[in-house]
Amino acid sequence: MDNGFRLLMCRSAEKDVAVNAVIKDETIWLTQKAMAELFNVDKSTIRRHLKNIFREGELDKRAAVAKSATTTLHDTIEGKPQTTNLRF
């Protein structure tokens, strides 16, 4: 089944770093953590820039932020999946 999502691996030319991104409807979605890794800054720097972008009205938070659930294996209970909501 095609859900319209594709994965993209972003690499930095200056540094040996790679992060995963999601592509949906011609938009590239990254978590704040992935953006921070890609640009070699602290996550708080990304958070501060996004806060300013939303406050100044450059982007609408409702259109620029998407929530997505991801499933990982739970660390404490073997074989038990755990769902975590991420904001992209």
Side-chain angles (χ1 to χ4, degrees):
M1 181 172 86
D2 182 13
N3 60 8
F5 287 95
R6 295 179 315 194
L7 294 177
L8 171 72
M9 180 174 279
C10 302
R11 294 182 185 268
S12 170
E14 296 80 33
K15 188 179 175 197
D16 188 23
V17 64
V19 297
N20 292 326
V22 174
I23 303 172
K24 173 73 171 157
D25 298 328
E26 299 184 19
T27 301
I28 298 173
W29 298 90
L30 291 129
T31 62
Q32 290 179 13
K33 180 180 177 183
M35 283 188 268
E37 290 175 15
L38 186 62
F39 294 110
N40 195 31
V41 297
D42 190 81
K43 195 167 94 172
S44 64
T45 302
I46 299 297
R47 190 171 32 250
R48 186 173 57 251
H49 281 291
L50 290 173
K51 183 178 176 182
N52 289 336
I53 287 168
F54 297 139
R55 186 184 69 238
E56 293 173 6
E58 186 176 338
L59 287 175
D60 182 351
K61 188 173 186 176
R62 293 170 295 186
V65 176
K67 291 182 182 177
S68 179
T70 185
T71 304
T72 59
L73 290 180
H74 195 279
D75 289 335
T76 58
I77 304 172
E78 188 175 329
K80 173 128 174 91
Q82 175 179 333
T83 301
T84 305
N85 290 316
L86 296 176
R87 293 188 326 171
F88 288 83

